[in-house]
Coordinates of all heavy atoms in Angstrom, one line a residue:
M2 N -21.6 3.7 -21.2 CA -21.5 2.3 -20.7 C -22.1 2.3 -19.3 O -21.7 3.0 -18.4 CB -20.0 1.9 -20.7 CG -19.9 0.5 -20.2 SD -18.1 0.1 -20.4 CE -18.1 -1.2 -19.3
E3 N -23.1 1.5 -19.2 CA -23.9 1.4 -18.0 C -23.3 0.2 -17.2 O -23.1 -0.9 -17.7 CB -25.4 1.1 -18.3 CG -26.3 1.0 -17.1 CD -26.5 2.4 -16.4 OE1 -26.4 3.4 -17.1 OE2 -26.7 2.4 -15.2
L4 N -23.0 0.4 -15.9 CA -22.5 -0.6 -15.0 C -23.7 -1.4 -14.4 O -24.7 -0.8 -14.0 CB -21.7 -0.1 -13.9 CG -20.3 0.6 -14.3 CD1 -19.7 1.2 -13.1 CD2 -19.4 -0.5 -14.9
T5 N -23.6 -2.7 -14.3 CA -24.6 -3.5 -13.7 C -24.4 -3.4 -12.2 O -23.4 -2.8 -11.7 CB -24.4 -5.0 -14.1 OG1 -23.2 -5.5 -13.6 CG2 -24.6 -5.2 -15.6
A6 N -25.4 -3.8 -11.4 CA -25.3 -3.7 -9.9 C -24.1 -4.5 -9.4 O -23.5 -4.0 -8.5 CB -26.6 -4.3 -9.4
S7 N -23.8 -5.6 -9.9 CA -22.7 -6.4 -9.4 C -21.4 -5.7 -9.7 O -20.4 -5.7 -8.9 CB -22.7 -7.8 -10.0 OG -22.5 -7.8 -11.4
A8 N -21.3 -5.1 -10.9 CA -20.1 -4.3 -11.3 C -19.9 -3.1 -10.4 O -18.8 -2.8 -9.9 CB -20.1 -3.9 -12.7
R9 N -21.0 -2.4 -10.1 CA -20.9 -1.3 -9.1 C -20.5 -1.8 -7.8 O -19.7 -1.1 -7.1 CB -22.3 -0.6 -9.1 CG -22.4 0.7 -9.8 CD -23.6 1.4 -9.6 NE -24.4 1.3 -10.9 CZ -25.6 0.8 -11.0 NH1 -26.3 0.4 -10.0 NH2 -26.2 0.7 -12.2
A10 N -21.0 -2.9 -7.3 CA -20.6 -3.4 -6.0 C -19.1 -3.8 -5.9 O -18.5 -3.5 -5.0 CB -21.5 -4.6 -5.6
R11 N -18.6 -4.4 -7.0 CA -17.2 -4.7 -7.0 C -16.4 -3.5 -7.0 O -15.3 -3.4 -6.4 CB -16.9 -5.6 -8.3 CG -17.2 -7.0 -8.1 CD -16.6 -7.8 -9.2 NE -16.7 -7.3 -10.6 CZ -17.7 -7.6 -11.4 NH1 -18.6 -8.5 -11.1 NH2 -17.7 -7.0 -12.6
T12 N -16.8 -2.4 -7.8 CA -16.0 -1.2 -7.8 C -16.1 -0.5 -6.5 O -15.0 0.0 -6.0 CB -16.6 -0.3 -8.9 OG1 -16.6 -0.9 -10.2 CG2 -15.8 1.0 -9.0
G13 N -17.2 -0.5 -5.8 CA -17.3 0.1 -4.5 C -16.4 -0.6 -3.5 O -15.8 0.0 -2.6
T14 N -16.4 -2.0 -3.6 CA -15.5 -2.7 -2.7 C -14.1 -2.5 -2.9 O -13.3 -2.3 -2.0 CB -15.8 -4.2 -2.8 OG1 -17.2 -4.5 -2.5 CG2 -15.0 -5.0 -1.8
R15 N -13.7 -2.4 -4.2 CA -12.3 -2.1 -4.6 C -11.9 -0.7 -4.0 O -10.8 -0.5 -3.6 CB -12.1 -2.1 -6.1 CG -11.9 -3.5 -6.5 CD -11.6 -3.6 -8.0 NE -10.7 -2.6 -8.5 CZ -10.7 -2.2 -9.7 NH1 -11.4 -2.7 -10.6 NH2 -9.8 -1.2 -10.1
D16 N -12.8 0.3 -4.2 CA -12.6 1.6 -3.6 C -12.4 1.6 -2.1 O -11.5 2.2 -1.6 CB -13.7 2.6 -4.0 CG -13.7 2.9 -5.5 OD1 -12.8 2.6 -6.2 OD2 -14.8 3.4 -5.9
A17 N -13.2 0.8 -1.4 CA -13.1 0.7 0.0 C -11.8 0.0 0.4 O -11.2 0.4 1.4 CB -14.3 0.0 0.6
D18 N -11.5 -1.0 -0.3 CA -10.2 -1.7 -0.1 C -9.0 -0.8 -0.3 O -8.1 -0.8 0.5 CB -10.0 -2.9 -1.0 CG -11.0 -4.0 -0.6 OD1 -11.6 -3.9 0.5 OD2 -11.1 -5.0 -1.4
G19 N -9.1 0.1 -1.3 CA -8.0 1.0 -1.6 C -7.9 2.1 -0.4 O -6.8 2.5 0.0
M20 N -9.1 2.5 0.1 CA -9.1 3.4 1.2 C -8.5 2.8 2.4 O -7.8 3.5 3.2 CB -10.5 3.9 1.4 CG -10.9 5.0 0.4 SD -12.5 5.7 0.9 CE -13.6 4.6 0.2
A21 N -8.8 1.5 2.7 CA -8.2 0.9 3.8 C -6.7 0.8 3.8 O -6.0 1.1 4.8 CB -8.8 -0.5 4.0
V22 N -6.2 0.4 2.6 CA -4.7 0.3 2.4 C -4.1 1.7 2.6 O -3.1 1.9 3.2 CB -4.4 -0.3 1.1 CG1 -2.9 -0.2 0.8 CG2 -4.8 -1.8 1.1
A23 N -4.7 2.7 1.9 CA -4.2 4.1 2.0 C -4.2 4.6 3.4 O -3.2 5.3 3.9 CB -5.0 5.0 1.1
S24 N -5.2 4.3 4.2 CA -5.2 4.8 5.6 C -4.1 4.1 6.4 O -3.5 4.8 7.2 CB -6.6 4.5 6.3 OG -6.8 3.1 6.5
F25 N -3.9 2.9 6.1 CA -2.8 2.2 6.8 C -1.4 2.8 6.5 O -0.6 3.1 7.4 CB -2.8 0.7 6.5 CG -1.6 -0.1 7.0 CD1 -1.5 -0.3 8.3 CD2 -0.6 -0.5 6.1 CE1 -0.4 -1.0 8.8 CE2 0.5 -1.2 6.6 CZ 0.6 -1.5 8.0
V26 N -1.2 3.0 5.2 CA 0.1 3.5 4.8 C 0.3 5.0 5.3 O 1.3 5.3 5.8 CB 0.2 3.5 3.2 CG1 1.4 4.2 2.7 CG2 0.3 2.0 2.8
L27 N -0.8 5.8 5.2 CA -0.6 7.2 5.6 C -0.5 7.3 7.1 O 0.3 8.1 7.6 CB -1.9 8.0 5.2 CG -2.0 8.2 3.7 CD1 -3.3 9.0 3.4 CD2 -0.8 9.0 3.2
G28 N -1.1 6.4 7.9 CA -1.0 6.4 9.3 C 0.4 5.9 9.7 O 1.0 6.5 10.6
L29 N 1.0 5.0 9.0 CA 2.3 4.5 9.2 C 3.4 5.6 8.9 O 4.3 5.9 9.7 CB 2.6 3.3 8.4 CG 3.8 2.4 8.8 CD1 3.6 1.9 10.2 CD2 3.9 1.2 7.9
V30 N 3.2 6.3 7.8 CA 4.2 7.3 7.4 C 4.0 8.5 8.4 O 4.9 9.2 8.7 CB 3.9 7.8 6.0 CG1 4.7 9.0 5.6 CG2 4.3 6.6 5.0
G31 N 2.7 8.7 8.8 CA 2.5 9.9 9.7 C 3.1 9.8 11.1 O 3.3 10.8 11.8
L32 N 3.5 8.6 11.5 CA 4.3 8.4 12.7 C 5.6 9.1 12.6 O 6.2 9.6 13.7 CB 4.5 7.0 13.1 CG 3.2 6.2 13.5 CD1 3.5 4.8 13.7 CD2 2.7 6.8 14.8
L33 N 6.1 9.3 11.4 CA 7.5 9.9 11.2 C 7.4 11.3 10.8 O 8.2 12.2 11.3 CB 8.3 9.1 10.2 CG 8.5 7.6 10.6 CD1 9.2 6.9 9.5 CD2 9.3 7.5 11.9
V34 N 6.6 11.7 9.8 CA 6.5 13.0 9.3 C 5.0 13.5 9.1 O 4.2 12.6 8.9 CB 7.2 13.1 7.9 CG1 8.7 12.8 8.0 CG2 6.6 12.1 6.9
L35 N 4.8 14.7 9.2 CA 3.5 15.4 8.9 C 2.4 14.7 9.6 O 1.3 14.6 9.1 CB 3.3 15.4 7.4 CG 4.2 16.2 6.5 CD1 3.9 15.9 5.0 CD2 4.1 17.6 6.8
N36 N 2.6 14.4 10.9 CA 1.5 13.7 11.6 C 0.3 14.6 11.8 O -0.8 14.1 12.0 CB 2.0 13.0 12.9 CG 2.9 14.0 13.7 OD1 3.0 15.1 13.4 ND2 3.4 13.4 14.7
I37 N 0.5 15.9 11.8 CA -0.7 16.8 12.0 C -1.7 16.7 10.8 O -2.9 16.9 11.0 CB -0.2 18.2 12.3 CG1 -1.4 19.0 12.9 CG2 0.3 18.9 11.0 CD1 -0.9 20.3 13.4
F38 N -1.2 16.3 9.6 CA -2.0 16.2 8.5 C -2.4 14.8 8.2 O -3.5 14.5 7.9 CB -1.3 16.8 7.2 CG -1.0 18.3 7.4 CD1 0.3 18.7 7.5 CD2 -2.0 19.2 7.4 CE1 0.6 20.0 7.6 CE2 -1.8 20.5 7.5 CZ -0.4 21.0 7.6
L39 N -1.4 13.9 8.2 CA -1.6 12.5 7.9 C -2.5 11.7 8.9 O -3.2 10.8 8.5 CB -0.3 11.8 7.6 CG 0.5 12.3 6.5 CD1 1.8 11.5 6.3 CD2 -0.2 12.3 5.2
G40 N -2.4 12.1 10.1 CA -3.2 11.4 11.2 C -4.7 11.6 10.9 O -5.4 10.6 10.8
P41 N -5.2 12.8 10.8 CA -6.7 13.0 10.5 C -7.1 12.3 9.1 O -8.2 11.8 9.0 CB -6.9 14.5 10.5 CG -5.8 15.0 11.3 CD -4.6 14.1 11.1
V42 N -6.2 12.4 8.1 CA -6.6 11.8 6.8 C -6.7 10.3 7.0 O -7.6 9.7 6.4 CB -5.5 12.2 5.7 CG1 -5.7 11.4 4.5 CG2 -5.6 13.7 5.5
S43 N -5.8 9.7 7.7 CA -5.8 8.3 7.9 C -7.1 7.9 8.7 O -7.7 6.9 8.3 CB -4.6 7.9 8.7 OG -4.6 6.5 9.0
I44 N -7.5 8.7 9.6 CA -8.7 8.4 10.4 C -9.9 8.5 9.5 O -10.8 7.6 9.5 CB -8.8 9.3 11.6 CG1 -7.7 9.0 12.6 CG2 -10.2 9.2 12.3 CD1 -7.6 10.1 13.7
V45 N -10.0 9.5 8.7 CA -11.2 9.7 7.8 C -11.2 8.5 6.8 O -12.3 8.0 6.5 CB -11.1 11.0 7.1 CG1 -12.1 11.1 6.0 CG2 -11.3 12.1 8.1
L46 N -10.1 8.2 6.1 CA -10.1 7.1 5.1 C -10.5 5.8 5.8 O -11.2 5.0 5.2 CB -8.7 7.0 4.5 CG -8.4 8.1 3.4 CD1 -7.0 7.9 3.0 CD2 -9.4 8.0 2.3
A47 N -10.0 5.5 7.0 CA -10.3 4.2 7.6 C -11.8 4.2 7.9 O -12.5 3.2 7.8 CB -9.5 4.1 8.9
S48 N -12.3 5.3 8.4 CA -13.8 5.3 8.8 C -14.6 5.1 7.5 O -15.6 4.4 7.6 CB -14.1 6.7 9.4 OG -13.4 6.9 10.6
L49 N -14.3 5.8 6.4 CA -15.0 5.6 5.2 C -14.9 4.1 4.7 O -15.9 3.6 4.2 CB -14.5 6.5 4.1 CG -14.9 8.0 4.3 CD1 -14.2 8.9 3.2 CD2 -16.4 8.2 4.2
A50 N -13.7 3.6 4.7 CA -13.5 2.2 4.3 C -14.4 1.2 5.1 O -15.0 0.3 4.6 CB -12.1 1.8 4.3
L51 N -14.4 1.4 6.4 CA -15.2 0.6 7.3 C -16.7 0.7 7.0 O -17.4 -0.2 7.0 CB -14.9 0.8 8.8 CG -13.5 0.4 9.2 CD1 -13.2 0.9 10.6 CD2 -13.4 -1.2 9.2
R52 N -17.1 2.0 6.8 CA -18.5 2.2 6.5 C -19.0 1.6 5.2 O -20.1 1.1 5.1 CB -18.8 3.7 6.5 CG -20.2 4.1 6.2 CD -20.5 5.5 6.5 NE -20.4 5.7 7.9 CZ -20.8 6.8 8.5 NH1 -21.2 7.8 7.8 NH2 -20.7 7.0 9.8
R53 N -18.1 1.6 4.2 CA -18.4 1.0 2.9 C -18.2 -0.5 2.8 O -18.4 -1.1 1.8 CB -17.6 1.7 1.8 CG -17.9 3.1 1.6 CD -17.1 3.7 0.5 NE -17.5 5.2 0.3 CZ -17.0 5.9 -0.6 NH1 -16.2 5.4 -1.5 NH2 -17.4 7.2 -0.7
G54 N -17.8 -1.1 3.9 CA -17.8 -2.5 3.9 C -16.6 -3.1 3.3 O -16.7 -4.0 2.4
T55 N -15.4 -2.6 3.6 CA -14.2 -3.2 3.0 C -13.9 -4.6 3.3 O -14.3 -5.1 4.4 CB -13.0 -2.3 3.4 OG1 -11.8 -2.8 2.7 CG2 -12.7 -2.3 4.9
E56 N -13.3 -5.3 2.4 CA -12.9 -6.7 2.7 C -11.6 -6.7 3.5 O -11.2 -7.7 4.1 CB -12.7 -7.5 1.4 CG -14.0 -7.7 0.7 CD -13.8 -8.4 -0.6 OE1 -12.7 -8.8 -0.9 OE2 -14.8 -8.6 -1.3
R57 N -10.9 -5.6 3.6 CA -9.6 -5.5 4.3 C -9.9 -4.7 5.6 O -9.3 -3.7 5.9 CB -8.6 -4.8 3.5 CG -8.3 -5.5 2.2 CD -7.3 -4.9 1.4 NE -7.0 -5.8 0.3 CZ -6.0 -5.5 -0.6 NH1 -5.3 -4.5 -0.5 NH2 -5.8 -6.4 -1.6
R58 N -10.8 -5.3 6.4 CA -11.2 -4.7 7.7 C -10.0 -4.5 8.6 O -9.9 -3.5 9.3 CB -12.3 -5.5 8.3 CG -12.9 -4.9 9.6 CD -14.1 -5.7 10.0 NE -14.5 -5.4 11.3 CZ -15.2 -4.3 11.6 NH1 -15.5 -3.5 10.7 NH2 -15.5 -4.1 12.9
G59 N -9.1 -5.5 8.7 CA -8.0 -5.4 9.6 C -7.1 -4.2 9.2 O -6.6 -3.5 10.1
R60 N -6.8 -4.0 7.9 CA -6.0 -2.8 7.5 C -6.7 -1.5 7.8 O -6.0 -0.6 8.2 CB -5.7 -2.9 6.0 CG -4.7 -3.9 5.7 CD -3.6 -3.4 4.8 NE -2.7 -4.6 4.7 CZ -2.6 -5.3 3.7 NH1 -3.2 -4.9 2.6 NH2 -1.9 -6.3 3.7
A61 N -8.0 -1.5 7.7 CA -8.7 -0.2 8.0 C -8.6 0.0 9.5 O -8.4 1.2 9.9 CB -10.2 -0.3 7.6
L62 N -8.8 -1.0 10.3 CA -8.6 -0.8 11.8 C -7.2 -0.4 12.2 O -7.0 0.4 13.1 CB -9.1 -2.1 12.5 CG -10.6 -2.4 12.4 CD1 -10.9 -3.7 13.0 CD2 -11.4 -1.3 13.1
L63 N -6.2 -1.0 11.5 CA -4.8 -0.6 11.8 C -4.6 0.9 11.4 O -3.9 1.6 12.1 CB -3.9 -1.5 11.0 CG -3.6 -2.8 11.7 CD1 -2.7 -3.7 10.8 CD2 -2.9 -2.6 13.0
G64 N -5.2 1.3 10.2 CA -5.1 2.7 9.8 C -5.7 3.6 10.7 O -5.2 4.7 11.0
L65 N -6.9 3.2 11.3 CA -7.6 4.0 12.3 C -6.7 4.2 13.5 O -6.5 5.3 14.1 CB -8.9 3.4 12.6 CG -9.8 4.1 13.5 CD1 -10.3 5.5 12.9 CD2 -11.1 3.3 13.8
G66 N -6.2 3.1 14.0 CA -5.3 3.1 15.2 C -4.0 3.9 15.0 O -3.6 4.7 15.8
L67 N -3.4 3.8 13.8 CA -2.2 4.5 13.5 C -2.5 6.0 13.4 O -1.7 6.9 13.7 CB -1.6 4.0 12.2 CG -0.8 2.7 12.4 CD1 -0.5 2.1 11.0 CD2 0.4 2.8 13.2
G68 N -3.7 6.4 12.8 CA -4.1 7.8 12.7 C -4.2 8.4 14.1 O -3.8 9.5 14.4
V69 N -4.8 7.7 15.0 CA -5.0 8.1 16.4 C -3.6 8.2 17.1 O -3.3 9.2 17.8 CB -5.9 7.2 17.2 CG1 -5.9 7.6 18.7 CG2 -7.3 7.3 16.7
A70 N -2.7 7.2 16.8 CA -1.4 7.3 17.3 C -0.6 8.4 16.8 O 0.2 9.0 17.5 CB -0.7 5.9 17.0
D71 N -0.8 8.8 15.5 CA -0.1 10.0 15.0 C -0.5 11.2 15.8 O 0.4 12.0 16.1 CB -0.6 10.2 13.5 CG -0.1 9.2 12.6 OD1 0.8 8.4 12.9 OD2 -0.6 9.2 11.4
L72 N -1.7 11.4 16.1 CA -2.1 12.6 16.9 C -1.6 12.5 18.3 O -1.3 13.5 18.9 CB -3.7 12.7 16.8 CG -4.2 13.0 15.4 CD1 -5.7 13.1 15.5 CD2 -3.6 14.2 14.8
L73 N -1.6 11.3 18.9 CA -1.0 11.2 20.2 C 0.5 11.5 20.3 O 0.9 12.2 21.2 CB -1.3 9.8 20.8 CG -2.7 9.5 21.1 CD1 -2.9 8.0 21.6 CD2 -3.3 10.4 22.2
V74 N 1.2 11.0 19.3 CA 2.6 11.3 19.2 C 2.8 12.8 19.1 O 3.7 13.4 19.7 CB 3.3 10.5 18.1 CG1 4.7 11.0 17.7 CG2 3.3 9.0 18.4
L75 N 2.1 13.4 18.2 CA 2.2 14.9 18.1 C 1.9 15.6 19.4 O 2.6 16.5 19.7 CB 1.2 15.3 17.0 CG 1.2 16.9 16.8 CD1 2.5 17.3 16.2 CD2 0.0 17.2 15.8
A76 N 0.9 15.2 20.1 CA 0.5 15.8 21.3 C 1.6 15.7 22.4 O 2.0 16.6 23.1 CB -0.8 15.3 21.9
V77 N 2.2 14.5 22.5 CA 3.2 14.2 23.5 C 4.5 15.0 23.1 O 5.1 15.7 24.0 CB 3.5 12.7 23.6 CG1 4.8 12.4 24.3 CG2 2.4 12.0 24.2
L78 N 4.9 14.9 21.9 CA 6.1 15.6 21.5 C 6.0 17.1 21.5 O 6.9 17.9 21.8 CB 6.6 15.1 20.1 CG 7.1 13.7 20.1 CD1 7.4 13.3 18.6 CD2 8.3 13.5 20.9
A79 N 4.8 17.6 21.1 CA 4.6 19.1 21.2 C 4.5 19.6 22.6 O 5.0 20.7 22.9 CB 3.3 19.4 20.4
S80 N 3.9 18.8 23.5 CA 3.9 19.3 24.9 C 5.3 19.2 25.6 O 5.5 19.9 26.5 CB 2.9 18.5 25.7 OG 3.3 17.1 25.8
A81 N 6.1 18.4 25.0 CA 7.5 18.2 25.6 C 8.3 19.5 25.4 O 9.1 19.9 26.2 CB 8.2 17.0 25.0
D82 N 8.1 20.2 24.2 CA 8.9 21.4 23.9 C 8.0 22.6 23.7 O 8.6 23.7 23.5 CB 9.9 21.2 22.8 CG 9.2 21.0 21.4 OD1 8.0 21.0 21.4 OD2 9.9 20.9 20.4
G83 N 6.7 22.5 23.9 CA 5.8 23.6 23.9 C 5.5 24.2 22.5 O 5.0 25.3 22.4
T84 N 5.8 23.5 21.4 CA 5.5 24.0 20.1 C 4.8 22.9 19.3 O 4.7 21.7 19.7 CB 6.8 24.4 19.3 OG1 7.6 23.2 19.1 CG2 7.6 25.4 20.0
V85 N 4.2 23.3 18.2 CA 3.6 22.3 17.3 C 4.6 21.5 16.5 O 4.3 20.3 16.2 CB 2.6 22.9 16.4 CG1 1.9 21.9 15.5 CG2 1.5 23.7 17.2
S86 N 5.7 22.0 16.3 CA 6.8 21.3 15.6 C 7.7 20.6 16.6 O 7.8 21.0 17.7 CB 7.6 22.2 14.7 OG 8.3 23.2 15.5
W87 N 8.4 19.6 16.1 CA 9.3 18.8 17.0 C 10.5 18.4 16.2 O 10.5 18.3 15.0 CB 8.6 17.7 17.7 CG 7.9 16.7 16.8 CD1 6.6 16.8 16.3 CD2 8.4 15.5 16.2 NE1 6.3 15.8 15.5 CE2 7.4 15.0 15.4 CE3 9.7 14.9 16.2 CZ2 7.6 13.8 14.7 CZ3 9.9 13.7 15.5 CH2 8.8 13.2 14.7
T88 N 11.6 18.2 16.9 CA 12.9 17.8 16.2 C 13.5 16.7 17.0 O 13.2 16.5 18.2 CB 13.9 19.0 16.1 OG1 14.1 19.5 17.5 CG2 13.3 20.2 15.3
F89 N 14.4 16.0 16.4 CA 15.2 15.0 17.0 C 16.4 15.7 17.6 O 17.0 16.6 17.0 CB 15.6 13.9 16.1 CG 14.5 13.0 15.6 CD1 14.0 13.1 14.3 CD2 13.8 12.2 16.5 CE1 12.9 12.4 13.9 CE2 12.8 11.4 16.0 CZ 12.3 11.5 14.7
G90 N 16.9 15.2 18.7 CA 18.1 15.8 19.3 C 17.8 17.0 20.2 O 16.7 17.2 20.6
G91 N 18.9 17.7 20.5 CA 18.8 18.9 21.4 C 18.6 20.1 20.7 O 18.0 21.1 20.7

């Protein structure tokens, strides 16, 4: 089955929209857990979604910002106790 140019464009836009939503969700979850992994993944997905022309540009930008925030939170919390891992409490 051969896709027409308009069908390929719709599929590409849907893929980019999915990447934008995924980057937002992963960035949001990354603030709480696994920020060393989810932060970079969120940044990459947001960048790809923006490059492919997503219709959900705001979500992609939020995912990009949350991915950067994940890494900043990791850096602040890791420098507070001198390790890559961090815990709540004493």
Side-chain angles (χ1 to χ4, degrees):
M2 181 173 159
E3 183 73 25
L4 292 177
T5 63
S7 63
R9 256 187 251 124
R11 280 195 313 266
T12 304
T14 303
R15 280 186 35 206
D16 290 345
D18 291 347
M20 283 190 273
V22 172
S24 72
F25 172 71
V26 170
L27 291 177
L29 197 59
V30 171
L32 287 174
L33 301 174
V34 295
L35 295 174
N36 47 5
I37 196 166
F38 298 112
L39 296 181
V42 170
S43 177
I44 292 170
V45 169
L46 284 175
S48 300
L49 287 173
L51 289 170
R52 180 170 290 188
R53 290 184 181 184
T55 182
E56 292 178 2
R57 297 180 177 187
R58 184 170 167 78
R60 283 231 178 107
L62 291 173
L63 280 172
L65 185 64
L67 285 169
V69 171
D71 290 348
L72 297 178
L73 290 176
V74 165
L75 176 66
V77 167
L78 292 175
S80 67
D82 67 358
T84 64
V85 177
S86 64
W87 51 274
T88 59
F89 291 109

